[in-house]
Amino acid sequence: MAHEQHNYLNHQKGIWSWLTTLDHKRIGIMYFVAIMSFFFLGGVFALLVRAELFTPGKTLFSADVYNRMMTYHGAIMVFMVIVPGIPAIFGNFVLPIMIGAKDVAFPRLNLMSWYMLMIGAAITGSTLFLENVDTGWTFYTPYSSIKTGMGVIPMVLGVFIIGFSSILTGLNFIVTTHKLRAPGMTMNRIPLMVWALYSTAILQVLATPVLAITLLLLIAEKTLGVGIFDPQLGGDPVLFQHFFWFYSHPAVYIMILPAMGVISELVATYSRKIIFGYTAIAYSSLAIAGVSFLVWGHHMFVSGQSEFAGVLFSFITMLVGVPTAIKLFNWIATMYKGSIRLDAPMLFAIGFMFLFTIGGLTGVYLASTGMDIHFHDTYFVVAHFHYVMVGGTLMALMGALIYWFPKVTGKIYSDLLGRISWVFIFSGFNVTFFPQFILGNMGMPRRYYDYLPTFTELNQMSTFGSWLIGTGFLVGLFGVFYALLKGKEAGNNPFGGKTLEWTIPSPPPHENFEKTPVLTGGPYEYR
Amino acid sequence: MSTANHTGGFHHAHHFDSAEHQYESSKQGIWLFLVTEILMFGGLFVGYSIYHSLYPQVFHAGSKQLSVVLGALNTVVLLFSSFTMALGINYVQRGLKNKAIIALAVTIACAAIFMVVKFFEYTHKFHVGTVPGKYAYTEELSASGEKVTKVGALLAEANKLSVAEREHKLHLDETEYEHLTLLERTKNWPLFFGFYFVMSGIHGLHVLAGAFLIFWVLLKVIKNQVGPEYYTPVEGVGLFWHVVDLIWIYLFPLLYLVG
């Protein structure tokens, strides 16, 4: 009677039951639908930006339109896709199950977080129709506060509300992890995905309020002209950058830590081996979270801060490499002599390690003050952070999607489609962004509408690569619909996972567990 | 004591083991939220201290312009309201419904007094032209082409009048007249009022939010939805209110006294 089973999907019926649901699993799916729509929009903007850069000078549209599309690409991708992505979708779905809880600590707050993301996105998105913003996603003063139009206000207000959504999700996860673990689930037995989400949540709670006040000050500056960022009144536009990066640098780890959690799960499951260095991976998440607060100055090496500050920020920035490398080496040690299965999620995990390593190593270049002067605001930086964020987070997002798809829907995601998607995304990604390292080294500035004719070939290669990435994600999307319509029944544990979510039926029942599990060992007991 | 305020109908949510478990989780969540509040104001405090160290004379001249008496009055009002809030929580925990209602109502009244005092402070600032940033300047330029501030315009008018006429026509007493003269000689003084209005303004919004939340738990007390068995919302709102007070306790010396 498997198909008549009572689960969270058929527990209640109708669209209204979804919009008012307090079930963390349904909220996770609602996040999935919303964030994937934003991702599609942000992706279209990315393709348009790249298309415009196919030839020097005007290719498709004016410089003004280009600036706006670049701004929306950045703002949508950062604030609405990559920051909330993995925690909101997969964190919501698997975190409570992984620790043996029936729900997150505050289900109502969880639903409210989703609505806040929707409201924030709507206000930000409204500027597309009212007055376009052309500041770039960083909203740097004095351009945003004095020069450009009033569209910045709703844009920033929307981001402020999205920030609230992020804070509330993080708060919910921290309390859930502290208070709702099943008996026997000590902090040293929680799956590494939970450790990653927990560290992320700490960052969300501690860093986002600073973004909130920064954005409020920008609004105050624009409406009242309070002078805090205005040199005419004694203020300093660079203070905005300090405030902004005090949030936005930790935010980079809000984006990447959950991805690292996903990779830990994938590597353990697809290597059929107990994870190597559980404690080291777990605590390195906290270490990354801690150090991330002390590195914001590396965004401002050329802003005229003191040399001493430059040296200090350079040193601390390189320090982040230590816990990151600890993770990477432990994953590799886990794979060593493991029974590795190169299923699609594992391919994405390996792709993550490959791309993230390139992103991380080029980060060391940028952390060196001398080299940063050469690379500052060139395409080298663009390539670096796309390798980290896109190569890191989106690879993990795809891996997580295929890995947990059977648990969420009860249907298996076609491994073939997953692999085809991977080939397109992985190769397209390198074709798009590797040439940008070279362009940056040759001196092509970032954000610009036009470039010298010498840069044409590499730019065309990059644009061509963006089409491959686009195709890869479309294949991935097709895979979702294909699996929903024609996917095989999954069973409880199709991939042989050892964490708690694989012990319950797929899709899970409304309250996750028939009876509360009692833990007697760690999460990855393969051999 | 009668036990009219039964909250025995209270059940904890399905994903908690017990009411105690749920209470502890809620409390942790509230504390975490309060951390975010402090961090948000932290950004303002950092900005304030940076500019204070850069332009001590601006902050000195600016803070002279604020009324220490009104600020101190508001500090006392808020401290007292923290006391009545704590009493309110205690009465709810002990099931003393009527006393709890009085304590919470007094707390709301204190919030109202605070906002009324703030209203008078703000309107007076607007009147004498000590407003933030670009609004501190008038449209017309001086003979030398420099921007004229509203304070400057007011002082120019006051200079034409005798001391008694100033009090009568412009509501400027002699000390304030001297303070404004000092202020007008200080470059970039509108920066101080930028901080003053943003910091006290955001704090004021929190006072309003707090008053609204206390009203919400007051209704819960009246409807017997909280009592000795279940008082999480009262305690949570109380903690929020204490943080709002605490922030003012830092704002008052920073804005009114330190300058």
Side-chain angles (χ1 to χ4, degrees), chain A residues 326-501:
Chain A
I326 287 175
K327 281 183 190 293
L328 203 66
F329 289 134
N330 278 304
W331 292 328
I332 293 170
T334 307
M335 286 160 70
Y336 179 69
K337 287 191 176 171
S339 321
I340 300 175
R341 290 178 54 183
L342 287 180
D343 287 354
M346 189 60 173
L347 285 178
F348 278 105
I350 291 172
F352 171 96
M353 288 186 232
F354 190 83
L355 301 178
F356 188 76
T357 306
I358 296 180
L361 289 178
T362 49
V364 179
Y365 288 44
L366 294 170
S368 316
T369 47
M371 296 187 89
D372 184 67
I373 290 169
H374 177 59
F375 289 130
H376 194 88
D377 274 350
T378 66
Y379 261 76
F380 192 92
V381 181
V382 177
H384 158 71
F385 74 71
H386 278 90
Y387 263 90
V388 172
M389 292 182 192
V390 186
T393 309
L394 291 183
M395 279 298 203
L397 189 80
M398 285 300 293
L401 172 65
I402 299 171
Y403 179 61
W404 278 304
F405 197 84
K407 185 48 63 187
V408 176
T409 61
K411 301 283 177 66
I412 297 247
Y413 191 103
S414 154
D415 205 56
L416 179 68
L417 284 173
R419 285 165 191 238
I420 295 173
S421 167
W422 180 80
V423 168
F424 273 106
I425 297 175
F426 185 78
S427 57
F429 186 81
N430 284 297
V431 174
T432 307
F433 293 105
F434 204 83
Q436 296 187 2
F437 281 124
I438 304 167
L439 281 170
N441 193 34
M442 287 161 75
M444 179 172 162
R446 71 193 276 202
R447 302 194 181 103
Y448 279 28
Y449 167 68
D450 197 0
Y451 53 84
L452 295 174
T454 9
F455 301 140
T456 311
E457 280 86 11
L458 285 168
N459 267 298
Q460 289 182 342
M461 197 193 282
S462 186
T463 303
F464 174 68
S466 72
W467 300 335
L468 291 180
I469 304 179
T471 313
F473 279 115
L474 285 181
V475 173
L477 181 68
F478 173 72
V480 171
F481 291 113
Y482 184 81
L484 285 177
L485 297 174
K486 302 225 162 147
K488 283 185 293 181
E489 291 292 326
N492 290 359
N493 190 2
F495 306 130
K498 292 279 182 182
T499 37
L500 277 181
E501 79 269 29

Side-chain angles (χ1 to χ4, degrees), chain A residues 195-262:
Chain A
W195 264 113
L197 289 168
Y198 176 72
S199 311
T200 309
I202 293 175
L203 281 180
Q204 286 175 313
V205 168
L206 295 185
T208 319
V210 182
L211 177 73
I213 195 65
T214 314
L215 298 179
L216 281 183
L217 280 174
L218 180 57
I219 294 174
E221 190 78 31
K222 209 151 176 65
T223 49
L224 303 174
V226 289
I228 292 168
F229 304 131
D230 184 357
Q232 279 195 325
L233 294 160
D236 186 352
V238 178
L239 182 68
F240 179 86
Q241 297 186 24
H242 280 289
F243 279 164
F244 183 82
W245 288 114
F246 189 80
Y247 161 77
S248 293
H249 197 80
V252 173
Y253 301 99
I254 296 179
M255 303 172 200
I256 205 69
L257 277 171
M260 290 171 157
V262 171

Side-chain angles (χ1 to χ4, degrees), chain B residues 195-235:
Chain B
F195 274 104
Y196 170 75
F197 280 106
V198 171
M199 291 173 101
S200 63
I202 294 179
H203 176 262
L205 288 178
H206 279 80
V207 172
L208 286 180
F212 179 77
L213 288 172
I214 298 168
F215 183 66
W216 172 67
V217 291
L218 179 63
L219 289 183
K220 276 186 176 294
V221 174
I222 293 172
K223 289 185 201 156
N224 288 331
Q225 287 168 347
V226 287
E229 291 89 23
Y230 173 69
Y231 47 81
T232 316
V234 192
E235 191 165 350

Side-chain angles (χ1 to χ4, degrees), chain A residues 102 104-107 171 174-175 178-180 205-206 209 213 222-225 227-228 233-236 239 243 511, chain B residues 14-16 21 24-26 28-29 32-33 35-36 39-40 43-44 50-51 55 133-135 137 188 191 194 202:
Chain A
K102 286 181 181 152
V104 292
F106 310 116
L171 190 153
I174 291 179
V175 179
H178 280 177
K179 295 286 181 190
L180 294 183
V205 168
L206 295 185
I213 195 65
K222 209 151 176 65
T223 49
L224 303 174
I228 292 168
L233 294 160
D236 186 352
L239 182 68
F243 279 164
E511 291 203 337
Chain B
H14 72 100
H15 55 293
F16 291 107
H21 187 201
E24 280 178 6
S25 304
S26 305
Q28 193 174 61
L32 277 169
F33 176 71
V35 167
T36 70
L39 275 159
M40 193 190 78
L44 287 170
I50 290 170
Y51 287 123
Y55 314 112
K134 63 182 178 194
Y135 290 105
Y137 297 96
N188 289 337
L191 186 61
I202 294 179

